[in-house]
Amino acid sequence: LSSIYSSIMSSHQRSHKQQTGFTLVELLVSLTLGATILLATSKLFIESRESFRYAEQSQELHERGRHAMQFIRSELKKVGYTTQDPIESPIYASNSGENSSLTISYEGGKDCTGSSSSTTKYEISGTNFRCDGSNASPQTLSSHAYGLQINFGIDLDEDGSIDRYLTADQISSWDRVQSVEVALLLRSKQPARQTLDADEYNLLGVSYGPFNDYKLSRIYRSVIELRNR
C-alpha cells in the first residue's frame, strides 16, 4: 500500500511541474521576440506603402508631363501654316511675372477642346498650365504646374541656322524665330518624397523653389522646330 501511495504522489508531482507554465525568463524572451517581429513587420509595411505612393505619384506626374509636352509640340509644329495669305505674327510670347506665356496661330487652328480657334494662348494661371482659345473658355493641360519658361531660336545672319536662343523680351523681330524651347516644371499632387525638397529647379535660367515640402518635382523640356517659316 505504501508503494502505491508513493507512486501516486510522484505522478501528481510530475503533473504539477508540467502545469507550472513559462518561467519569467521564458516570458521575457517571448515578449522580446514578439515585439521584434511586430516592429519588423510594421517597418516593412510602412516602407512598402511609401514605395507604392512614390511609384503612384511619379507615374501620374510623368503622364501629365508627357501629355502636356506632346500637345504643345504638336501645336508648335503647325505655327504659321496657311494655304492662303501669310498669317501676320503667327507666334508671340511675353514674360508675365515669373512665367512666360505663348500665343500661336495657324490656319484651321484649334484649342485644347478641339474647337476652332484663330489664336491660342498657353500660360500658367495659378498652378494650372492652360490653353486659352479664342472661342472657348480656358482649358487645363496640366494641374500642379509651377513654372513655364520659353526661349526662341533666332537666325541672326539669315543663313538658315540657329545662332542664339533668346527670351521673349529680347526678340526684336518674330519673323526670325526658327525654333522654340519650352521648359515646364510640374509637381506631384500628393507628398511622395521621404526627404524634404530643398532643391532649386532651373528652367532656362530662371530658378524655382525650394518648395520645402515632400512633393515630387520634375522638369519637362523640349525644342520644337517651326516648320512653316
Side-chain angles (χ1 to χ4, degrees):
L1 182 62
S2 176
S3 62
I4 294 174
Y5 176 79
S6 297
S7 176
I8 293 173
M9 291 301 296
S10 176
S11 175
H12 175 73
Q13 289 175 353
R14 287 196 302 270
S15 176
H16 178 71
K17 287 182 180 179
Q18 291 173 353
Q19 296 175 6
T20 55
F22 295 109
T23 65
L24 180 59
V25 173
E26 291 172 334
L27 182 60
L28 289 175
V29 170
S30 298
L31 289 173
T32 301
L33 288 174
T36 301
I37 294 172
L38 180 61
L39 287 173
T41 303
S42 300
K43 182 180 179 182
L44 180 62
F45 172 76
I46 292 172
E47 289 178 348
S48 298
R49 185 177 62 180
E50 290 176 346
S51 296
F52 174 78
R53 182 186 299 135
Y54 179 90
E56 180 184 49
Q57 291 298 310
S58 181
Q59 179 64 24
E60 192 275 338
L61 177 59
H62 173 72
E63 288 299 321
R64 280 193 288 120
R66 182 180 61 83
H67 169 71
M69 296 308 292
Q70 281 185 346
F71 190 93
I72 194 72
R73 279 198 301 266
S74 175
E75 291 301 291
L76 280 169
K77 290 177 181 179
K78 304 171 188 175
V79 166
Y81 168 77
T82 179
T83 58
Q84 304 175 21
D85 296 332
I87 298 174
E88 184 178 353
S89 302
I91 185 168
Y92 174 77
S94 64
N95 294 95
S96 177
E98 63 179 6
N99 291 310
S100 300
S101 66
L102 176 69
T103 302
I104 66 171
S105 302
Y106 61 90
E107 184 180 311
K110 297 183 181 298
D111 62 18
C112 301
T113 65
S115 300
S116 176
S117 178
S118 57
T119 61
T120 306
K121 184 178 182 180
Y122 298 89
E123 63 181 351
I124 287 182
S125 178
T127 57
N128 291 323
F129 177 42
R130 70 181 193 177
C131 164
D132 189 357
S134 55
N135 298 321
S137 300
Q139 299 293 314
T140 297
L141 278 172
S142 177
S143 61
H144 298 270
Y146 285 77
L148 174 64
Q149 292 298 325
I150 304 171
N151 284 347
F152 301 89
I154 303 297
D155 180 9
L156 296 174
D157 54 13
E158 299 183 355
D159 65 350
S161 62
I162 304 300
D163 298 303
R164 189 179 176 188
Y165 276 90
L166 303 176
T167 64
D169 297 338
Q170 297 172 319
I171 302 296
S172 58
S173 174
W174 290 97
D175 292 336
R176 291 187 174 182
V177 174
Q178 301 293 321
S179 64
V180 180
E181 183 178 20
V182 179
L184 177 66
L185 174 62
L186 300 180
R187 309 199 71 221
S188 64
K189 295 180 178 180
Q190 301 294 332
R193 294 170 55 102
Q194 296 185 28
T195 57
L196 197 68
D197 184 5
D199 297 331
E200 289 191 359
Y201 297 87
N202 188 297
L203 270 68
L204 307 182
V206 179
S207 294
Y208 295 82
F211 296 103
N212 294 317
D213 59 18
Y214 293 90
K215 292 183 178 181
L216 303 176
S217 300
R218 192 168 295 168
I219 294 173
Y220 296 87
R221 176 181 169 274
S222 185
V223 177
I224 304 97
E225 181 183 356
L226 303 184
R227 298 176 175 177
N228 304 299
R229 303 318 306 266

